[in-house]
Amino acid sequence: MEMEARRYDNKGESKCVVGEEITVDWRGKLSNPNKHGGMRAAAFVLGLQAFEIMAIAAVGNNLITYVINEMHFSLSESANIVTNFVGTIFILALLGGYLSDSYLGCFWTMLIFGFVELSGFILLSVQAHLPQLKPPQCNMLTDGENCVEAKGVKSLIFFVALYLVALGSGCVKPNMIAHGGDQFNQSNPKQSKKLSTYFNAAYFAFSMGELFALTLLVWIQTHSGMDVGFGVSAAVMAMGLISLVSGTLYYRNKPPQGSILTPIAQVFVAAILKRKQICPSNPQMLHGSKNRVLNNGIVAPSAGSGSLAHTQRFRFLDKACIKIEVGTNVKESPWRLCSVTQVEEVKILISAIPIFACTIVFNTILAQLQTFSVQQGGAMDTQLAKSFHIPPASLQSIPYIILIIVVPLYDTFFVPLARKITGHESGISPLQRIGAGLCFATFSMVSAAIMEKKRRDAAVDSNKILSIFWITPQFLIFGLSEMLTAVGLIEFFYKQSLKGMQAFLTAITYCSYSFGFYLSSLLVSLVNKITSSSSSNQGWLGDNDLNKDRLDLFYWMLAVLSFLNFLSYLFWAKWYSYSPTTTQQETLGDDHLNNYGFINSSKHSVDESIP
């Protein structure tokens, strides 16, 4: 929603600003920058983010143990239940982003679905506490064949509770990032720099939540029972909702603007209906074009228009801007005639799809660290002291301990230094950050494969049990990878020039997690089917005993897949960087563009290239 709006100066007096996005306070009145927004308001959202990830991570990261030991599902089936659960959380982020941008707004979406998530935690706790809602107690390791798998009402209650959590968490997640980012005005250079700091702070809050979940909450689950553990997750989620509500008076809120998918659909429909039309050679003849041609022939949007410049990519879509009844007063339907800015926003969305797709394999690797790597740790010596054993699920806390130190250092020292070298407000561009993270992910799987081979050989050949600390490098390397890739992807999508779609764009980044976890389930099933058909055994991952499985070979396969994915990303990142949507800024430079008043017309970065 961009239009003429009343804004406030430093003295709190209102003034008229054209083309600036409208934000309102909790009463629906125009926000005042002296009272609303900024890091103070974002801090309340960060509180929700830390508590929400703490609650969901404590459940998700130790869920496979509960599913096997209490619900009595097999190892491969349990791994698929966990990956499908996590995948569903992230695919439902699209629903949360859509409802927020279109109808509810970020705040109300988080509040409503936060209570849905809370109800799921409570139901899980009740089921884990009541024996009549679970199968009879049985040791899956020693007597697995005689254990009764959860079925009927018991299975129904479990999955209803689980997917209430998935629905709530999925709809809350994209809005936490988007609502926090909305507290900063991107048209203000100082606030734009703070936005980059906020994304790093959000990952710091995420790391803190993960750390407490994987240490304190997992320890509670292990020693006090899963019923108490699920109950603690419910209490933590309630604290997050309290943090969200506490900041109500300080938020600047972007009002919902109606269905965000309708304008996108209109472009495709109009382009198809006018597929036989010929695009004019002069882009200024297109409907809704507010561009002007500079002396060097480059097309740019008019100052203060809030519009996007016409580009040459995906020219088929330009046919949606051709006005047939030229010179008449007949008004065409928006399903037959679209503006240049509307079409350019669709082009931006399409151009970003390959970047999104290249992060799917990255999240397939993440799925392994939450499933098979936990089981891998369970087959090792977890003793730290005479009376203290490390829960295998707590292994995943190792990278977050490091990242709690690394993230502040990254933002305090690396970003300012890199900013002086590159001139980029984030130090390095989001695309460069994503690329570095994907490279690290490959080394994480190489480390995992080497360590699993060493662990398995020691157990099978020498009957020795290695210390659990042997597999810490794979978690550490992937933690650095996640800090770079996840934050880079969120920043990349959030800064796209699609106004009023920030929550939905953030949700798209979470879909990468979803597709990655679904791909993990597919790979596990395919690998089992292919490897079991070629030999007399049950396949690489077909047994509940890792000493009989070949998890090391599965990890090597993922390492090769990750490397090929990284090479693919280099190609698509270069394609995106030199697309027509970015050549204007690359050709002119920021200072020259600023003289014409449209430096913020497109968030496609000048430096979005891989070194």
Side-chain angles (χ1 to χ4, degrees):
M1 182 185 300
E2 286 192 357
M3 56 188 296
E4 181 178 299
R6 305 299 303 180
R7 297 297 292 154
Y8 296 85
D9 59 21
N10 293 333
K11 298 180 180 180
E13 299 177 353
S14 64
K15 60 180 181 179
C16 183
V17 178
V18 179
E20 186 168 331
E21 196 165 39
I22 290 178
T23 58
V24 298
D25 62 12
W26 65 280
R27 296 170 296 183
K29 297 182 179 180
L30 288 175
S31 61
N32 184 338
N34 297 323
K35 298 178 180 179
H36 306 108
M39 192 59 76
R40 178 182 62 177
F44 292 99
V45 186
L46 292 175
L48 172 62
Q49 181 160 358
F51 285 122
E52 196 276 337
I53 192 61
M54 192 186 307
I56 193 68
V59 172
N61 290 323
N62 209 23
L63 183 61
I64 189 170
T65 304
Y66 177 76
V67 174
I68 292 175
N69 295 338
E70 301 292 337
M71 296 289 111
H72 302 160
F73 291 103
S74 67
L75 174 60
S76 59
E77 190 174 2
S78 298
N80 283 343
I81 288 174
V82 174
T83 52
N84 289 339
F85 164 67
V86 178
T88 301
I89 289 177
F90 295 124
I91 201 70
L92 285 172
L94 284 176
L95 175 62
Y98 174 76
L99 291 176
S100 172
D101 286 334
S102 301
Y103 306 110
L104 298 176
C106 285
F107 176 80
W108 285 107
T109 303
M110 287 187 289
L111 191 62
I112 293 171
F113 287 95
F115 278 103
V116 172
E117 184 176 359
L118 177 61
S119 67
F121 287 131
I122 294 173
L123 186 55
L124 278 175
S125 180
V126 170
Q127 184 184 39
H129 182 72
L130 299 177
Q132 56 268 37
L133 298 181
K134 298 184 295 181
Q137 285 290 328
C138 179
N139 192 322
M140 285 289 287
L141 292 177
T142 60
D143 198 23
E145 295 181 357
N146 297 322
C147 292
V148 179
E149 183 179 303
K151 294 180 180 179
V153 176
K154 298 174 183 178
S155 177
L156 177 63
I157 293 175
F158 170 70
F159 284 108
V160 166
L162 199 62
Y163 283 94
L164 277 175
V165 173
L167 174 62
S169 182
C171 291
V172 166
K173 284 186 183 300
N175 289 288
M176 291 188 295
I177 295 291
H179 192 51
D182 289 346
Q183 306 310 308
F184 304 92
N185 185 356
Q186 293 189 62
S187 63
N188 185 318
K190 291 183 179 180
Q191 294 243 334
S192 184
K193 289 181 180 180
K194 290 182 179 179
L195 178 61
S196 178
T197 299
Y198 163 74
F199 286 126
N200 288 320
Y203 194 76
F204 179 82
F206 169 83
S207 299
M208 288 292 294
E210 283 276 10
L211 177 61
F212 278 98
L214 295 171
T215 52
L216 180 59
L217 269 64
V218 168
W219 185 88
I220 292 174
Q221 291 173 351
T222 304
H223 293 83
S224 300
M226 292 299 292
D227 55 343
V228 177
F230 289 147
V232 171
S233 289
V236 168
M237 185 63 203
M239 293 171 65
L241 292 174
I242 293 173
S243 176
L244 172 67
V245 174
S246 298
T248 302
L249 299 179
Y250 304 105
Y251 298 141
R252 60 194 298 265
N253 305 289
K254 291 184 179 179
Q257 58 178 23
S259 176
I260 58 174
L261 299 182
T262 299
I264 297 174
Q266 288 173 342
V267 171
F268 287 106
V269 171
I272 292 173
L273 292 176
K274 296 182 178 179
R275 61 189 178 277
K276 295 183 180 180
Q277 299 293 322
I278 299 176
C279 290
S281 57
N282 184 359
Q284 290 182 289
M285 297 179 64
L286 296 174
H287 174 67
S289 175
K290 297 181 180 179
N291 299 338
R292 53 179 174 175
V293 181
L294 305 181
N295 294 333
N296 55 6
I298 291 179
V299 178
S302 299
S305 66
S307 62
L308 298 177
H310 173 265
T311 62
Q312 298 299 317
R313 177 153 288 176
F314 307 120
R315 292 211 61 191
F316 170 78
L317 296 177
D318 290 341
K319 296 183 178 183
C321 303
I322 298 177
K323 190 172 183 179
I324 298 178
E325 296 86 357
V326 179
T328 69
N329 293 325
V330 178
K331 186 176 181 180
E332 288 191 75
S333 165
W335 291 94
R336 296 185 61 88
L337 182 63
C338 303
S339 68
V340 169
T341 294
Q342 189 177 346
V343 171
E344 289 304 317
E345 288 179 342
V346 175
K347 290 182 181 181
I348 291 172
L349 194 59
I350 295 175
S351 298
I353 289 177
I355 304 299
F356 157 82
C358 287
T359 62
I360 293 175
V361 172
F362 163 83
N363 289 296
T364 298
I365 294 174
L366 173 62
Q368 313 317 311
L369 298 183
Q370 293 189 359
T371 54
F372 289 116
S373 291
V374 175
Q375 293 302 110
Q376 190 181 9
M380 305 180 78
D381 183 9
T382 62
Q383 185 172 359
L384 181 62
K386 289 184 179 180
S387 58
F388 183 77
H389 291 260
I390 301 175
S394 291
L395 279 174
Q396 297 168 81
S397 65
I398 295 173
Y400 299 111
I401 294 174
I402 302 299
L403 290 176
I404 286 172
I405 302 173
V406 171
V407 170
L409 293 177
Y410 178 90
D411 192 67
T412 304
F413 297 103
F414 176 79
V415 172
L417 178 62
R419 188 180 290 150
K420 292 180 180 179
I421 299 174
T422 65
H424 196 283
E425 61 187 16
S426 300
I428 59 175
S429 71
L431 284 184
Q432 291 170 330
R433 188 167 181 170
I434 295 170
L438 294 181
C439 182
F440 274 112
T442 301
F443 291 104
S444 173
M445 282 296 95
V446 170
S447 173
I450 293 174
M451 289 301 103
E452 171 58 15
K453 181 68 165 59
K454 182 179 181 66
R455 184 208 64 78
R456 186 177 183 276
D457 288 347
V460 174
D461 299 336
S462 307
N463 198 28
K464 293 182 179 179
I465 301 178
L466 296 182
S467 170
I468 198 171
F469 286 104
W470 278 99
I471 63 172
T472 56
Q474 66 204 53
F475 290 97
L476 177 59
I477 297 172
F478 189 83
L480 294 173
S481 172
E482 187 175 13
M483 181 194 74
L484 295 168
T485 303
V487 179
L489 188 65
I490 289 173
E491 184 175 0
F492 171 74
F493 269 97
Y494 186 88
K495 290 185 175 181
Q496 298 304 306
S497 297
L498 302 176
K499 297 300 181 182
M501 290 183 63
Q502 270 64 38
F504 187 76
L505 289 173
T506 305
I508 290 178
T509 68
Y510 284 107
C511 283
S512 173
Y513 288 89
S514 178
F515 294 151
F517 276 73
Y518 286 141
L519 177 60
S520 174
S521 296
L522 179 62
L523 285 177
V524 169
S525 299
L526 286 177
V527 165
N528 267 338
K529 184 176 181 180
I530 294 172
T531 56
S532 61
S533 62
S534 61
S535 61
S536 59
N537 59 29
Q538 299 184 41
W540 287 358
L541 306 170
D543 202 291
N544 289 331
D545 186 355
L546 288 182
N547 291 336
K548 297 179 181 179
D549 289 335
R550 293 307 305 268
L551 184 60
D552 56 327
L553 299 180
F554 182 66
Y555 281 157
W556 277 118
M557 183 196 73
L558 287 176
V560 173
L561 186 62
S562 178
F563 179 70
L564 295 176
N565 178 69
F566 173 66
L567 296 180
S568 173
Y569 174 80
L570 293 180
F571 170 81
W572 288 113
K574 186 175 182 180
W575 174 84
Y576 180 91
S577 301
Y578 295 100
S579 69
T581 56
T582 60
T583 52
Q584 295 167 6
Q585 288 190 12
E586 291 177 45
T587 304
L588 295 176
D590 286 358
D591 293 336
H592 188 64
L593 282 173
N594 195 41
N595 292 335
Y596 286 92
F598 55 86
I599 183 64
N600 292 317
S601 64
S602 176
K603 294 299 185 295
H604 278 78
S605 173
V606 190
D607 300 314
E608 297 285 321
S609 57
I610 300 297

